[in-house]
Amino acid sequence: MPEPLTVSFPPAFLWGAATSAYQIEGAVREDGRTPSIWDTFSHTPGRTAGGDTGDIAVDHYHRYRDDVALMAELGLTAYRFSVSWPRVQPTGRGPAVQVGLDFYRRLVDELLAHGIKPAVTLYHWDLPQELEDAGGWPERETALRFAEYAHLVGEALGDRVEQWITLNEPWCSAFLGYGSGVHAPGRTEPLAALRAAHHLNLAHGLGVQALRSVLPPRGSVAVSLNSQVIRPLSQHPADLAAAVRIDDLANGVFHGPLLHGAYPATLLEATSSLTDWSFVRDGDLRDIRRPLDALGLNYYTPAVVSSVETAPEGPRSDTHGASAASPWPAADDIVFHQVPGERTDMGWTVDPDGLHQLIMRYTREAPGVPLYVTENGAAYEDKVDDDGRVRDPERVAYLHGHLAAVRRAIADGADVRGYYLWSLLDNFEWAYGYAKRFGAVHVDYATLARTPKSSALWYGRAARSGQLPPVDDIV
Ligand code: GBH
């Protein structure tokens, strides 16, 4: 048994929850909103479990006041949400739609009135369909469009929002959207995935500049990466090399240009059969490497890899999802293994040490840059008890373990300023539809009624006290 953790978190530590527009808002045809790639994708037969779509989702667009009141009641001090691009700039070009922006202004005002600090993500995967029709992220033009969109949202909300995040998990946009195709737009083209990664990086860099040109000096600009913790199966040189290659494709492809001003040489070499990277133009790397005010880390589970040659028999982890295509370009000779240990309803192993490791890595790689855990959480099947309560001791244990890992990292010198639980509410879990529940708050999909699970109440107590209640202290 680990020691009970009675040490307090820093007083200014943010205790947040996170969501994203397409996963919760619904109201997809209201107030001038046009389809995003996720509307198109989810309405294409066979793309999502059960044919689920975000048409209604959890109807947050109409229920945001109640949702904010609930957060306040629980005791949360921060909320990370995303702006739906096709709601505020339907074609991905031209002037903003005022009613679209007004929704987010009202949401932010409601948060501020309840003492909850908003963090705005500009892009959480819902590209306006028109921009995909023009080529999407593999095309440079999309990055330029993003900068314009960032400018317009920054102008509208910059007076009341301090914390900004350009992109959420560009790895997923590039490699699941254009590589394995399990995410929108569902393309399976390894070269397009690499081009998309670069143009997402460029979008971030140009977006940072656009935001800084309109935000007041206190505005803070960050990016949220799903930086993956990659472990070699053994110390065999072939496995160590496999881990480096996947680390380049998962992490280096983003933090190389973002933090160090270049793509890793090992990445360029490993992908040379697909491209000479000539889509990286002069000046791009300078545009991408913009000083960050903070870095957002999203963490769920680590990965264990080996070379196919050294791989022993044993459970493999399914990194392709429903797709036959791999999200990892030029890596067919690498095998992903199931990480031993307890697993969540997604099949992802619970491994809080991975979060500690990740935070310490970025403490070294981005010295002086404040860190936020912008997503962490777990899906578990829910059961509503006879007394109407939803008891989720597994999620409490998951949160306790990972928050303890964050606290440990702070003790080890990491500058972690906040934690956003994924997710506030059960919601549309992308290709898995509504079957997977990440919420700390239960949603009854028949009535859309919200019921805080034990984990939400536990987390609220942690937020109020700045300490972690014992893991078994649940109601
Ligand atoms: C996040 O994605 C999203 O930001 C959020 O919208 C989503 O609801 C939440 O997490 C829960 O899924 O098996 O090869 O894909 C996380 C997506 C899942 C991507 C784990 C990387 C492991 C490698 N990540 N995945 S692979």
Side-chain angles (χ1 to χ4, degrees), residues 384-435:
V384 183
D385 287 339
D386 292 340
D387 60 1
R389 289 194 180 277
V390 184
R391 293 182 171 85
D392 58 345
E394 310 89 340
R395 184 174 287 100
V396 172
Y398 185 99
L399 297 177
H400 184 280
H402 287 78
L403 280 159
V406 171
R407 184 63 189 81
R408 223 162 10 98
I410 294 173
D412 293 342
D415 185 11
V416 189
R417 305 266 177 102
Y419 175 94
Y420 296 84
L421 181 167
W422 185 272
S423 180
L424 176 66
L425 302 158
D426 289 335
N427 63 47
F428 176 75
E429 178 50 26
W430 306 113
Y432 295 90
Y434 298 97

Side-chain angles (χ1 to χ4, degrees), residues 21 242 311 338 372 464:
Q338 215 171 72
Y372 290 86
R464 286 183 203 281

Side-chain angles (χ1 to χ4, degrees), residues 23 124-125 168-169 171-172 176 226 228 298 300 318-319 327-328 346 348 375 422 429-430 438:
Q23 295 182 274
H124 199 126
W125 309 352
N168 177 70
E169 303 192 352
W171 184 85
C172 294
L176 301 181
N226 60 312
Q228 299 182 38
N298 296 359
Y300 292 89
D318 169 24
T319 72
W328 307 102
M346 298 297 282
W348 300 347
E375 284 182 29
W422 185 272
E429 178 50 26
W430 306 113
F438 273 92

Side-chain angles (χ1 to χ4, degrees), residues 434-456:
Y434 298 97
K436 303 294 179 195
R437 293 176 176 272
F438 273 92
V441 174
H442 172 84
V443 175
D444 175 340
Y445 287 111
T447 62
L448 295 177
R450 278 81 158 134
T451 308
K453 304 177 192 178
S454 311
S455 58

